[in-house]
Amino acid sequence: MYYEPYQKKKSPRQPRRRRKTLGGWLAELCLRLLALVLILILLCVGLLYALPVSLFAVEPEDVDLSLTDGLPASRANILLLGLDELRENSRRSDTVMIASVGYGQLRLASILRDTVVNIPGYGADKLNAAYAHGGPQLVMKTLNQAFGLNLMHYIAVDYAALAGAVDALGGVDVPLSEAELSALNDLIDGARARLAARGYTAPDLVLGGETTHLNGVQALAYARIRKLDSDFMRASRQRTLLEAMLKKVRSSLWNPLRLIRLARALLDASDTNLSLIQLLSLGEKALAAGVPEQKRLPVDGSYTDDGSALRVDDFPANAEAFRAFAYD
């Protein structure tokens, strides 16, 4: 009989593992570090948003602000001041606004600068004179006494810094009428030399419309338009511009470099008594709140307009109107 010689079966060949190169190890390490950084960022964002609004209710110990007791702690009311330092010898606050911030809420109330109020230590005068007399602390004390508020924190920004902030965002879109277009270009012409000294170019705007794109200088001029109509409308335009800027910030959250440029532009030309943590927490809540509701003080029927000043006949009515607006 014939037998085939025994042959040892070969085991299947195992695929050979490739050894990771130094570049592969480094790439994997970088990816893991990036994932860890993203997790930490998301955790910090969540913690900052979760910080209670009562964090803003710590009264400064070194100054008497005449705070009104009994207001809810569910909202943080922050005083926003715009300083028109493009004018020579001007240290008045041409923009006075209160941002009321809570979870899921942002409301903006303009207080017209020509409103006559009692400025502690100086008597009756227009509201915008309070800053010249005693800075943001005196503005807060004046408003707290006049309108029954609890303002403790402020952000004051030089108007010229607004141009840098808008440019950092890549411009903003606002509705602009033909009359506003003309007034805007007149203001640019009048401030061209002072803007150039600060490093801003000042081109005229050619076209208006429902969605008009403004660069920094044009946005600054838009916020300063007054002679065209009234301070009522100027305050409305300022709220419209702030709303447009918030909208642009929301659309830029994917672009950290743009946000860093914006923060640098604002911090370089602003003054505040809010801590960095408070600013970040406040900013997150404002961005998450959506389109802000708006209001103007003094309210209709509570004042007399003599052509140069607004004389309030009923301060309690305005205090009640603001509380209803801010606290539902």
Side-chain angles (χ1 to χ4, degrees):
M1 296 181 67
Y2 176 76
Y3 296 94
E4 292 185 0
Y6 173 75
Q7 294 182 353
K8 187 178 180 181
K9 292 184 179 180
K10 295 181 179 180
S11 59
R13 196 172 212 181
Q14 297 294 327
R16 195 172 182 182
R17 291 187 178 180
R18 291 185 180 181
R19 292 184 178 181
K20 289 185 179 179
T21 63
L22 178 60
W25 282 109
L26 288 176
E28 183 177 344
L29 179 61
C30 288
L31 287 174
R32 294 191 178 195
L33 287 175
L34 179 59
L36 179 60
V37 168
L38 289 175
I39 291 172
L40 290 174
I41 289 175
L42 291 174
L43 181 62
C44 289
V45 168
L47 289 174
L48 285 169
Y49 182 78
L51 287 176
V53 177
S54 57
L55 177 69
F56 298 87
V58 180
E59 182 178 359
E61 297 179 355
D62 56 345
V63 60
D64 174 24
L65 296 176
S66 298
L67 297 176
T68 301
D69 294 328
L71 295 180
S74 59
R75 304 288 186 271
N77 295 317
I78 312 299
L79 175 66
L80 307 180
L81 296 171
L83 312 177
D84 194 356
E85 297 187 348
L86 287 175
R87 297 183 186 177
E88 296 179 4
N89 303 319
S90 175
R91 288 292 295 170
R92 297 194 169 209
S93 52
D94 274 4
T95 297
V96 180
M97 199 178 297
I98 299 173
S100 181
V101 185
Y103 290 110
Q105 182 206 62
L106 172 62
R107 295 178 180 174
L108 301 174
S110 295
I111 305 181
L112 300 183
R113 65 174 196 167
D114 289 339
T115 303
V116 176
V117 292
N118 178 59
I119 301 175
Y122 296 91
D125 202 347
K126 291 182 180 181
L127 176 59
N128 67 343
Y131 186 89
H133 290 311
Q137 287 79 14
L138 186 55
V139 181
M140 289 190 290
K141 185 173 184 177
T142 299
L143 291 172
N144 287 340
Q145 288 186 359
F147 295 101
L149 305 179
N150 62 350
L151 296 171
M152 290 176 271
H153 296 99
Y154 69 89
I155 302 173
V157 180
D158 175 8
Y159 258 11
L162 179 65
V166 172
D167 282 337
L169 287 170
V172 294
D173 298 324
V174 300
L176 192 72
S177 68
E178 288 299 318
E180 288 173 327
L181 173 65
S182 178
L184 181 151
N185 285 328
D186 288 343
L187 284 168
I188 289 177
D189 290 338
R192 196 179 300 276
R194 289 190 292 276
L195 285 166
R198 293 182 178 225
Y200 296 112
T201 57
D204 286 344
L205 190 62
V206 178
L207 294 174
E210 284 299 316
T211 305
T212 304
H213 189 75
L214 305 181
N215 66 15
V217 170
Q218 294 160 351
L220 172 59
Y222 174 79
R224 297 178 69 216
I225 296 173
R226 184 191 184 198
K227 293 182 179 179
L228 172 64
D229 32 49
S230 67
D231 199 35
F232 293 84
M233 291 303 300
R234 185 172 82 150
S236 176
R237 279 188 283 268
Q238 290 169 352
R239 294 193 302 272
T240 296
L241 179 59
L242 184 55
E243 181 180 333
M245 292 179 69
L246 286 170
K247 182 178 179 181
K248 194 62 178 285
V249 171
R250 292 188 192 100
S251 69
S252 302
L253 292 177
W254 60 271
N255 189 340
L257 292 178
R258 177 176 287 179
L259 298 180
I260 290 171
R261 288 196 297 268
L262 171 65
R264 185 179 301 166
L266 289 174
L267 292 175
D268 286 348
S270 64
D271 172 41
T272 181
N273 63 350
L274 289 164
S275 68
L276 179 60
I277 289 177
Q278 288 173 322
L279 281 170
L280 291 173
S281 179
L282 177 71
E284 284 190 26
K285 291 177 177 63
L287 289 174
V291 178
E293 297 182 43
Q294 301 183 19
K295 194 172 187 62
R296 178 260 299 164
L297 297 178
V299 295
D300 292 340
S302 70
Y303 65 91
T304 301
D305 186 353
D306 65 9
S308 63
L310 304 177
R311 303 189 181 277
V312 179
D313 307 312
D314 192 347
F315 277 104
N318 283 279
E320 183 60 31
F322 178 81
R323 292 178 193 182
F325 172 70
Y327 302 107
D328 296 321

